């Protein structure tokens, strides 16, 4: 069995998974964990799925003051539990592959340098992905490392949907729609092909609704449109991000309200969305609990729902109709009320909710009439492990 270490580094966290892949492609989750609160009070939690103890520890300030210390801690744990020599390769989630990386790639000095040039396209995410790559390179130089991209799945979007209506010289700089959540969409496309090949060939709208949220219109299992754009800020309203906004708002805030570009960026990414509108939380569970007697919380949920329905309408038009709608990620998988409201909003497209199935957390939540609505749990880590294993096999041939 190959054991793949999957790393997903954010601004203050490094999440990891150990996934085993057998000779016949059978997959096994061995362990998952995270180092949170890097640079603050760090929290280390890890769960083994192969019978041994789970662990959750809060580590006092300074234990992981940077990504390298967090990666080092993860490697130590792996060494103590499995032996570092058992690892076949590592796969990194990398947010931006730019125009060139439309497939997973083996990391070496040249590819890492190329990924560094993409930092301006994803300044809030790419540097953390690179920090994990650099750390692992230093700490385990013999371990093959691969990068798997959130943008790659959307390489099939036609130019007409990819370009902004900007002067060509600006488009030539790479200012266009890339789209994100591609590892999740790719996993869902594979699951659909496995479970229902007929449906997977059709017009499928996937709603990835987590703390980050986007929609992807697929035809024949390929992305033809998505709501995120040049950055992961565009499209739907999210936990703390605005989603689409009239760009003139930004000029107004900078010129008239004297906010700096950094202030506006921080506000749009970290203080808006469900959190900004509710003034309470970016966590949908908290908002649901509060919504009964908190108008702002109710309004935040209603706006979140409205924006999904509105953007879904555009995606359905682009696909020329719809055969299936798939809900996935934290909110999509766990919030039946949200799913019900979205499906009701899409009744114009023929959807009809099966309320009992929706509340019972069934896979299929639509009635026999109209297009199909499904709930399919995503698994980005498994997708990264699969892509990494394929690259390793190819290199060894
Ligand atoms: P993700 O980014 O995919 O981990 O999703 C995180 C989001 O899922 C947060 O807004 C959570 O509040 C939301 N979530 C998780 N469980 C539930 C649930 N049972 N009901 C509503 N939202 C949930």
């Amino acid at each position: 069995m190959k054991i793949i270490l999957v790393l997903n580094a954010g601004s203050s966290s490094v999440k990891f998974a150990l996934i085993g892949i057998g000779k016949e492609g059978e997959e096994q989750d061995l362990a998952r964990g995270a180092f949170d609160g890097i640079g603050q009070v760090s929290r280390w939690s890890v769960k083994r799925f192969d019978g041994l103890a789970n662990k959750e520890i809060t580590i006092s300030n300074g234990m992981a003051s940077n990504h390298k210390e967090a990666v080092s801690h993860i490697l130590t744990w792996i060494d103590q539990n499995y032996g570092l020599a058992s690892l076949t390769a590592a796969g990194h989630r990398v947010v931006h592959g730019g125009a060139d990386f439309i497939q997973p790639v083996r990391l070496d000095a040249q590819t890492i340098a190329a990924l560094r040039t993409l930092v301006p396209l994803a300044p809030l995410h790419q540097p953390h992905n690179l920090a994990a790559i650099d750390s692992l390179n230093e700490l385990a130089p013999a371990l093959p490392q691969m990068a798997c991209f959130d943008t790659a799945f959307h390489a099939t979007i036609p130019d007409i949907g990819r370009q902004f209506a900007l002067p060509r010289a600006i488009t030539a700089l790479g200012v266009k729609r890339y789209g994100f959540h591609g590892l999740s969409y790719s996993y869902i496309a594979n699951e659909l092909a496995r479970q229902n090949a007929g449906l997977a060939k059709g017009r499928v709208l996937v709603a990835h609704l987590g703390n980050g949220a986007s929609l992807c219109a697929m035809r024949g299992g390929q992305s033809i449109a998505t709501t995120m754009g040049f950055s992961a800020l565009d499209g739907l309203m999210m936990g703390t991000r605005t989603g689409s906004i009239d760009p003139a708002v930004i000029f107004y805030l900078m010129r008239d309200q004297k906010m700096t570009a950094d202030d506006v960026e921080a506000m749009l990414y970290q203080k808006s969305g469900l959190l900004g509108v509710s003034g309470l939380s970016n966590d949908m569970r908290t908002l649901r609990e509060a919504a009964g007697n908190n108008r702002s919380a109710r309004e935040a949920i209603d706006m979140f729902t409205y924006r999904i329905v509105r953007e879904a309408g555009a995606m359905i038009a682009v696909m020329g109709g719809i055969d299936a709608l798939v809900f996935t990620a934290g909110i999509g998988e766990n919030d039946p009320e949200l799913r019900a409201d979205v499906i009701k909003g899409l009744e114009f497209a023929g959807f009809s909710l099966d309320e009992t199935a929706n509340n019972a957390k069934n896979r299929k939540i639509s009635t026999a009439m109209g297009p199909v609505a499904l709930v399919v749990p995503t698994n980005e880590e498994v997708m990264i492990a699969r892509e990494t294993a394929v690259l390793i096999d190819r290199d060894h041939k």
Side-chain angles (χ1 to χ4, degrees), residues 208-212 239 274 282-286 288 329-332 334-336 378:
H208 178 109
L209 308 174
N211 209 15
L274 291 173
N282 64 321
D283 192 312
M284 188 57 102
R285 285 165 293 197
T286 310
R288 287 274 176 222
I331 300 172
N334 298 303
D335 190 336
T378 195

